[in-house]
Amino acid sequence: MEKFIKHTGTGVPLRRSNVDTDQIIPAVYLKRVTRSGFEDGLFAAWRNDPDFVLNKEAFKKGTVLVAGADFGTGSSREHAVWALQNYGFKVVISSRFADIFRGNSLKGGLLTIILSQEEVEDLWSVIESAPDTAITVDLESRTVSYNSILLTFEIDDYTRWRLMEGLDDIGLTLKQTDSIDSFEKNREEYKPKTIPVLK
Amino acid sequence: MSKTLAQKIWDEHIVRRAEGEPDLLYIDLHLIHEVTSPQAFDGLRLNKRVVRRPDLTIATEDHNVPTLNIDKPIADPVSKLQVDTLRANCKEFGVRIHSLGDAEQGIVHVVGPQLGLTQPGMTIVCGDSHTSTHGAFGALAFGIGTSEVEHVLATQTLPLIPPKTMAINVEGSLKPGVTSKDIILAIIAKIGTGGGQGYVLEYRGSAIRALSMEARMTVCNMSIEAGARAGLIAPDEKTFEYIKDKPHAPKDFDAAVKYWSTLQSDSGAKFDVEINLDANELEPFVTWGTNPGQGLPLNSSVPNPADISDAEERGAAERALTYMGLTAGTPLKKIAIDTVFLGSCTNGRIEDLRSAAEILKGKKISSSLRMLVVPGSARVRLQAESEGLDKVFIDAGAEWRNAGCSMCLGMNPDQLAVGERSASTSNRNFEGRQGKGGRTHLVSPLVAAATALRGTLSSPADL
C-alpha cells in the first residue's frame, strides 16, 4: 500500500446525501476479478448527465471528493473504494460515513475524513466558486487546509500510523501468529466452533 | 461486570488486546461468494500466503448466477469468469464450495443457517453486508470488504474496534398481516439509514421472541439498512430447535445448549442507546423513496417534501419522488406495479414462500404485471416443490426460478427495465439497484402476494 502522509489537490463538490455504494458503483460493474479498471463504473448512473459534477471541466482534475452526509451506505463492496481510487481520488470528505465503507477505505489507503456538516458546506461554497482552490490534507498533523482556513479532523493513532507507514494489515497480524495458535489451542470444547466442513 | 450479548461474544473472541490498537478478533466461520473474493485470493497468491483454516471457510455461488437454464454454461462471459475464478480459487486453496446445481447452493445467508453452520456465540463474517442475517441466532455476524476477506483467509482473525451497543425493544403483538419485514422497515424509518452507524443492534422484547427463526433472520438481515454492521437476537428454545438435526449441529448438543443458554445480555447491562417500538401499532410497511428509511404504512400517501423541515431530507425526498415518478399526496395503494419479486436473503426462505403461496393459491396474478419467485437456496426450492408450492406459483401465473440473489441486485439477467416499477421483498430500494432506471418499493412477502393479485400496492386485508 502506498504511504499517505500529505496530499494537495483540488476538490469536487458532491452535493448529495446518502450516496450508497450502489450509486458509487452499480452491481453490473462488479464482475472484474482484478482490483483495477473500476473507474468506468464510478457514479455510472449520473455520468451521462452533462450537469453532473464530474462532467464539468472545472472539476475534472479533482482528487478530493467532498460529499454529503452518510456517504458509502449499503453494500460492503470494496469495489466502491477501488472505483474512487482508480478514478484518481485520494481523499473523501463527508460529515458521516457508513461503517463498512470507511473501514474499506482506510484499509485500502483512500483517506476518508469526517468534518462537520457546516465545514462541508463552507468547503462546497468555496470550491464551487473557485474550483482551483488548493486543498491540503495533512495526515501527520490531522488537518485540512485551504486558503487561510485550517480545519482539524480525528483519526485514531493506529490507523494513522498504518496509513503513514503504508503497512499491510495482514502482514501486521501474521506477526501475531503465536497468539492465534494459542487461542485456537486453548479454546474450551463447549465453545462454539465450526464443525469442519471439509469434504 | 454486566455485559451485553454483543460484549460477551466479543470478549470470548479476543486473540490479542493491546493499548492503542484494535482488538484482534478470532473468526469462527467465513462465508465467501464469487463477487467479493477474487481479489482477496489474488492477494494471497501474490504474497505467497495460504488459507489458514480452509475447514472454517465455505463458498457458494449466488450474486451473479442465472436463475434460468442453470444446466447450461453461464451465458454472460463476465459472470462466467467470476464463477469460474471462484471455483478455481476454492480448488487451489482447499475450500469447500457449493456450486450451481448442488443441492446446497444458494444465497450465502440462507445456506449458512440451513446447514447448521450458523450457531449462537459465533463470530461470522462474509464479504457481503447482509451477513448481519446470522445475528438472528445470537452470533456476532457482519459484512466485510475484500481486504478483510483476504485478512480472514490468511489469519482467521480481524483487527476491529469494539462497537457501541443499541437495544431495540419491540413489545406487544403483531396484527394479522403484519410481519417481521414490517418491524424492520418501521425501525429503519424511525432511526434512519445512519441511525445504527457504529452500533451493534440487539432486538429484544416480546414481539421479537414471538417471531420464528426465519422471521428473526429477516429483522437482523436489514440491520445494515439502518447503518448497523450487525444485529443480534439472543438465542432461545426456538434457536436450539432450529439448529438441532442440521448437518453441522454440534455433536455434543446438550453441552452446546448449556453454553448457548448463557448468551443473553445481563439484566444490569447498559446499552449506549435504547429505542422502543410498539408492535401493536405496526401496519404493513412499504417504501416510497430511494433509501430504505423512506418508508410509510401502506395506508398512507406519498409524502409531500414541502412538509419536511430538514433541508437535507427535503432535498433527498424531492430527488426520490422525481426518480420514482411519484406525485405527493397519491395514496400508496394506488401505485401500479409492473413486477413483483419474491426472494432474496431477506425474504427468500421457505416460510416466506409458504405465506405468499397461501394468498395466491387458486388465484391468478394481475395481467398487468409479472411475478418472479426466486427461492433463497436450492434446498428451499426442493422443499417448496415437495410441498407443491411451485405449482401454486406457476398456476397463479408467476415464474418459478432457481436459487440466487437474482433481482435483489440485478447482477444476473433478472433486472428491471428503465422506468419499470417493482414491489420487492428484497432489502434495498436504491436508485438503479434492480436495474438501471428501475423503481423499487420494498414490501413483505404478504404485501408482495396481495400486490401481485391486485396490480397495485396492496395488503392481504384488501383482497
Side-chain angles (χ1 to χ4, degrees):
Chain A
M1 194 166 78
E2 226 175 288
K3 290 182 183 181
F4 191 115
I5 296 167
K6 193 174 185 175
H7 172 74
T8 300
T10 55
V12 176
L14 184 66
R15 278 191 185 262
R16 282 175 190 249
S17 60
N18 253 304
V19 175
D20 54 71
T21 52
D22 274 80
Q23 309 311 313
I24 299 173
I25 184 163
V28 289
Y29 289 92
L30 306 185
K31 294 178 184 171
R32 278 194 191 86
V33 293
T34 59
R35 276 181 196 249
S36 56
F38 290 100
E39 66 274 13
D40 59 349
L42 182 68
F43 301 126
W46 304 330
R47 287 282 277 283
N48 291 332
D49 173 4
D51 287 333
F52 181 58
V53 66
L54 286 187
N55 293 329
K56 294 188 178 164
E57 205 50 49
F59 297 116
K60 281 201 168 148
K61 293 208 167 89
T63 53
V64 179
L65 184 67
V66 186
D70 293 318
F71 188 81
T73 53
S75 156
S76 62
R77 59 189 70 160
E78 197 160 322
H79 313 66
V81 171
W82 302 332
L84 289 161
Q85 287 180 315
N86 293 165
Y87 183 87
F89 286 110
K90 304 284 184 203
V91 178
V92 184
I93 295 173
S94 170
S95 63
R96 206 157 58 179
F97 291 98
D99 291 339
I100 300 180
F101 175 81
R102 183 123 204 269
N104 288 343
S105 69
L106 296 175
K107 288 218 187 295
L110 174 72
L111 184 58
T112 38
I113 294 177
I114 301 171
L115 294 179
S116 72
Q117 188 58 32
E118 207 177 1
E119 290 166 336
V120 167
E121 309 251 351
D122 289 347
L123 200 46
W124 277 340
S125 313
V126 168
I127 51 187
E128 278 167 358
S129 56
D132 290 337
T133 306
I135 302 170
T136 297
V137 174
D138 187 336
L139 183 56
E140 186 158 27
S141 63
R142 296 180 167 100
T143 56
V144 176
S145 55
Y146 60 96
N147 299 337
S148 59
I149 310 283
L150 183 73
L151 306 168
T152 57
F153 63 88
E154 285 180 26
I155 187 164
D156 67 273
D157 291 340
Y158 180 80
T159 307
R160 171 173 164 270
W161 164 76
R162 200 172 45 70
L163 288 171
M164 289 181 62
E165 297 290 330
L167 289 172
D168 162 18
D169 242 349
I170 299 176
L172 289 172
T173 300
L174 285 174
K175 288 184 190 160
Q176 309 298 337
T177 300
D178 289 350
S179 309
I180 305 172
D181 289 344
S182 91
F183 180 93
E184 287 178 337
K185 206 169 122 246
N186 296 325
R187 193 115 188 248
E188 293 91 338
E189 264 307 300
Y190 64 86
K191 293 279 174 63
K193 62 169 159 300
T194 300
I195 312 301
V197 291
L198 287 181
K199 284 154 271 192
Chain B
M1 202 190 81
S2 299
K3 288 181 183 177
T4 65
L5 173 55
Q7 287 161 345
K8 282 186 187 177
I9 302 174
W10 187 280
D11 290 352
E12 289 288 351
H13 289 85
I14 297 174
V15 169
R16 182 174 177 273
R17 174 169 268 181
E19 184 64 29
E21 291 181 32
D23 287 342
L24 192 61
L25 217 62
Y26 196 77
I27 302 301
D28 293 319
L29 176 64
H30 187 192
L31 306 163
I32 59 179
H33 61 83
E34 74 276 18
V35 177
T36 57
S37 69
Q39 295 86 355
F41 281 112
D42 219 28
L44 292 183
R45 256 190 302 270
L46 282 173
N47 293 292
K48 300 197 167 39
R49 287 168 178 155
V50 296
V51 176
R52 181 183 172 92
R53 295 294 303 268
D55 56 327
L56 306 186
T57 313
I58 185 168
T60 186
E61 299 162 2
D62 57 3
H63 276 62
N64 72 27
V65 297
T67 55
L68 286 173
N69 304 320
I70 61 165
D71 53 333
K72 303 201 173 64
I74 298 175
D76 174 4
V78 262
S79 290
K80 184 173 184 304
L81 172 66
Q82 223 167 29
V83 169
D84 287 346
T85 304
L86 178 69
R87 291 176 186 176
N89 283 333
C90 286
K91 196 167 175 208
E92 181 182 344
F93 289 93
V95 171
R96 168 170 143 189
I97 179 169
H98 292 297
S99 287
L100 212 52
D102 181 322
E104 303 303 342
Q105 175 269 340
I107 307 176
V108 64
H109 310 308
V110 179
V111 169
Q114 87 187 4
L115 282 172
L117 287 165
T118 303
Q119 295 174 18
M122 280 186 162
T123 48
I124 301 175
V125 297
C126 173
D128 186 277
S129 60
H130 290 110
T131 308
S132 57
T133 311
H134 307 264
F137 291 78
L140 189 61
F142 47 89
I144 56 178
T146 299
S147 295
E148 290 172 307
V149 170
E150 186 180 338
H151 196 284
V152 177
L153 287 173
T155 70
Q156 204 59 31
T157 65
L158 272 181
L160 292 164
I161 293 165
K164 292 177 283 182
T165 57
M166 183 187 294
I168 299 188
N169 307 307
V170 192
E171 296 290 350
S173 45
L174 296 173
K175 285 182 247 183
V178 183
T179 69
S180 65
K181 181 68 164 281
D182 305 305
I183 295 180
I184 187 64
L185 286 174
I187 290 170
I188 299 163
K190 187 179 170 104
I191 71 174
T193 55
Q197 269 171 35
Y199 294 92
V200 170
L201 311 183
E202 185 182 330
Y203 304 97
R204 300 152 61 84
S206 54
I208 299 295
R209 297 259 75 87
L211 297 175
S212 69
M213 284 314 295
E214 296 198 352
R216 291 179 190 182
M217 284 189 246
T218 303
V219 173
C220 288
N221 172 273
M222 289 188 71
S223 301
I224 183 69
E225 269 62 65
R229 220 167 159 176
L232 275 172
I233 295 174
D236 58 14
E237 286 301 326
K238 283 183 189 169
T239 320
F240 312 150
E241 195 53 40
Y242 186 96
I243 297 170
K244 205 177 175 178
D245 304 328
K246 293 278 189 293
H248 289 273
K251 290 201 175 65
D252 189 348
F253 197 75
D254 293 341
V257 167
K258 195 171 161 216
Y259 174 65
W260 291 345
S261 303
T262 67
L263 296 172
Q264 294 166 21
S265 290
D266 296 327
S267 56
K270 276 292 280 179
F271 290 89
D272 295 291
V273 178
E274 292 216 32
I275 304 273
N276 297 305
L277 201 72
D278 185 353
N280 302 303
E281 292 186 355
L282 291 179
E283 298 284 337
F285 233 75
V286 58
T287 61
W288 51 266
T290 54
N291 75 54
Q294 292 173 323
L296 281 170
L298 189 51
N299 284 322
S300 330
S301 298
V302 175
N304 188 348
D307 297 338
I308 301 172
S309 55
D310 181 86
E312 192 64 50
E313 263 181 54
R314 186 167 59 242
E318 282 165 359
R319 267 200 310 278
L321 292 194
T322 307
Y323 181 84
M324 294 295 288
L326 293 174
T327 312
T330 309
L332 292 170
K333 286 188 175 173
K334 290 249 158 80
I335 297 172
I337 297 298
D338 306 307
T339 293
V340 172
F341 173 62
L342 176 60
S344 85
C345 60
T346 311
N347 282 126
R349 297 184 176 79
I350 191 68
E351 288 179 10
D352 300 312
L353 302 192
R354 283 182 193 141
S355 67
E358 201 175 301
I359 290 171
L360 295 176
K361 195 164 189 172
K363 303 199 177 82
K364 293 276 179 210
I365 63 171
S366 164
S367 59
S368 63
L369 53 72
R370 63 168 169 157
M371 180 175 187
L372 257 67
V373 184
V374 183
S377 69
R379 186 66 66 196
V380 169
R381 181 179 150 104
L382 290 170
Q383 176 67 29
E385 288 178 348
S386 76
E387 297 177 21
L389 304 184
D390 56 326
K391 295 215 166 45
V392 173
F393 291 120
I394 292 165
D395 291 347
E399 296 177 42
W400 178 243
R401 297 291 188 90
N402 285 285
C405 299
S406 179
M407 194 183 268
C408 174
L409 83 167
M411 264 193 99
N412 74 348
D414 308 338
Q415 296 179 17
L416 295 180
V418 176
E420 196 176 345
R421 188 182 296 282
S422 77
S424 176
T425 65
S426 56
N427 41 58
R428 286 181 179 142
N429 51 342
F430 298 154
E431 288 182 24
R433 168 84 176 179
Q434 297 190 291
K436 196 175 177 185
R439 295 160 169 167
T440 305
H441 296 277
L442 299 178
V443 297
S444 72
L446 295 181
V447 170
T451 299
L453 293 177
R454 282 169 51 96
T456 53
L457 287 173
S458 306
S459 76
D462 300 320
L463 296 171

